[in-house]
Amino acid sequence: MEAKFLAGLFSFLSIFLAIYAQSPEQEFLVPNYDNVEHQLKVYDIRAPLVLSCEITGEGNYELTWERNGTEVSKVKELEGRYRILAAERKFIIEKTDVHDDGLYSCVANNVRKDFNVVAKIAVRVPSNSGVVEGEKLSIVCTVVGTNPQLSWSFGNLTINNSTGRYLLRADDNKIQNAILTIENVSLDDRGEYKCIGRNDATEYAKVPEASDTSFVRVKGKFAALWPFLGICAEVLILCTIILIYEKRRNKNVADDDTDAQDQ
């Protein structure tokens, strides 16, 4: 029993020492996460990205910044596009693009804190589309942002994968579900189709999902035939009127000739 007590005490002390050893490192740098659990930082494309790391320890510590394990000064894609405010412990990209996402780190006194930097999703579809009944229609959803997950909705129907007459496939950029194809379109398919984009920003940082709507107009199979038949009817009526007019005119001329001969 004494051996069990000593083993339990040793286990408790080991856990306590491990926590104590880690606590200074955890508290030494305090990043400005949008979601602490996932070390997440979110930004709008073409808007500023601001990362900051507060140093709680006393002393004149130098704070450095890295992207994907490389000092930012050596990252070609960032050249001339960022600034570091040493006194405020901040790293800033004034005008971001979609490729500025990734793993960033602040480092000081051999302590490192990582940022999972994620670009918010933005989607765009054509404002409207037209198709003839019985034909096939494809709507392309253009999307930017980090690791987008796309789905579609039509009325109360949510389309997450290919089913029935609805086919979902990737675009040229290998974005899954970016193209919605409707086979054998019917008149009931007319209406608003919405492309919906989500990623870690919407999942963990309470960022609203991105969406855009395309209105689909469906023409009947014989829609193009009716104008043609209308034109044919107008031509027929016009020809009939001309024929009747010519007959009457010829009759009047013949009557006038007859009266002239009788005189």
Side-chain angles (χ1 to χ4, degrees):
M1 184 172 180
E2 183 178 347
K4 290 183 178 180
F5 173 77
L6 291 176
L9 180 61
F10 178 78
S11 177
F12 173 79
L13 289 174
S14 298
I15 295 173
F16 176 79
L17 290 173
I19 295 173
Y20 178 80
Q22 291 179 2
S23 58
E25 179 178 337
Q26 292 175 344
E27 296 177 357
F28 181 72
L29 290 179
V30 182
N32 65 325
Y33 295 131
D34 291 322
N35 179 283
V36 176
E37 180 182 358
H38 294 86
Q39 299 179 327
L40 196 69
K41 186 64 180 178
V42 177
Y43 72 94
D44 287 297
I45 298 171
R46 299 188 181 279
L49 166 65
V50 180
L51 305 180
S52 69
C53 268
E54 293 295 331
I55 298 178
T56 59
E58 296 182 359
N60 187 21
Y61 296 102
E62 180 184 2
L63 184 69
T64 60
W65 295 90
E66 298 178 359
R67 180 186 178 191
N68 297 327
T70 303
E71 287 188 22
V72 292
S73 61
K74 299 178 182 178
V75 179
K76 186 176 181 181
E77 293 78 11
L78 294 176
E79 187 175 346
R81 299 181 52 239
Y82 74 91
R83 58 194 178 101
I84 295 176
L85 303 181
E88 299 179 26
R89 315 292 192 187
K90 290 182 178 180
F91 169 84
I92 302 173
I93 301 176
E94 292 291 352
K95 187 175 182 180
T96 56
D97 63 35
V98 66
H99 302 296
D100 286 327
D101 58 356
L103 181 67
Y104 290 74
S105 306
C106 57
V107 183
N109 194 32
N110 294 323
V111 179
R112 172 189 301 272
K113 287 295 182 179
D114 293 330
F115 294 82
N116 294 315
V117 175
V118 172
K120 294 181 184 179
I121 296 294
V123 299
R124 180 64 59 87
V125 293
S127 58
N128 56 76
S129 304
V131 63
V132 175
E133 181 185 10
E135 293 186 354
K136 179 172 66 175
L137 171 68
S138 291
I139 308 173
V140 179
C141 183
T142 303
V143 57
V144 292
T146 303
N147 298 327
Q149 290 93 47
L150 298 182
S151 62
W152 296 78
S153 68
F154 172 58
N156 295 324
L157 176 65
T158 299
I159 308 169
N160 292 313
N161 46 54
S162 298
T163 178
R165 294 184 300 112
Y166 299 109
L167 174 64
L168 292 177
R169 56 191 175 91
D171 61 7
D172 293 337
N173 296 319
K174 298 182 180 180
I175 304 298
Q176 296 297 318
N177 297 350
I179 303 176
L180 169 65
T181 299
I182 308 172
E183 300 280 355
N184 191 24
V185 173
S186 69
L187 294 176
D188 292 334
D189 291 322
R190 71 180 72 186
E192 291 185 342
Y193 289 79
K194 181 184 293 185
C195 176
I196 304 167
R198 301 177 60 86
N199 67 356
D200 285 350
T202 54
E203 188 72 19
Y204 303 119
K206 299 181 180 180
V207 174
E209 63 185 19
S211 65
D212 195 22
T213 302
S214 180
F215 188 84
V216 172
R217 294 177 173 83
V218 182
K219 297 180 181 179
K221 289 183 179 180
F222 304 106
L225 182 61
W226 298 121
F228 174 75
L229 293 177
I231 293 173
C232 291
E234 290 178 359
V235 171
L236 181 61
I237 293 172
L238 181 61
C239 290
T240 302
I241 292 173
I242 293 174
L243 181 62
I244 294 173
Y245 172 77
E246 288 295 329
K247 284 185 176 181
R248 288 184 177 180
R249 189 174 69 84
N250 292 337
K251 181 179 179 182
N252 291 335
V253 171
D255 290 343
D256 291 342
D257 290 342
T258 301
D259 292 341
Q261 290 178 359
D262 290 343
Q263 292 178 357

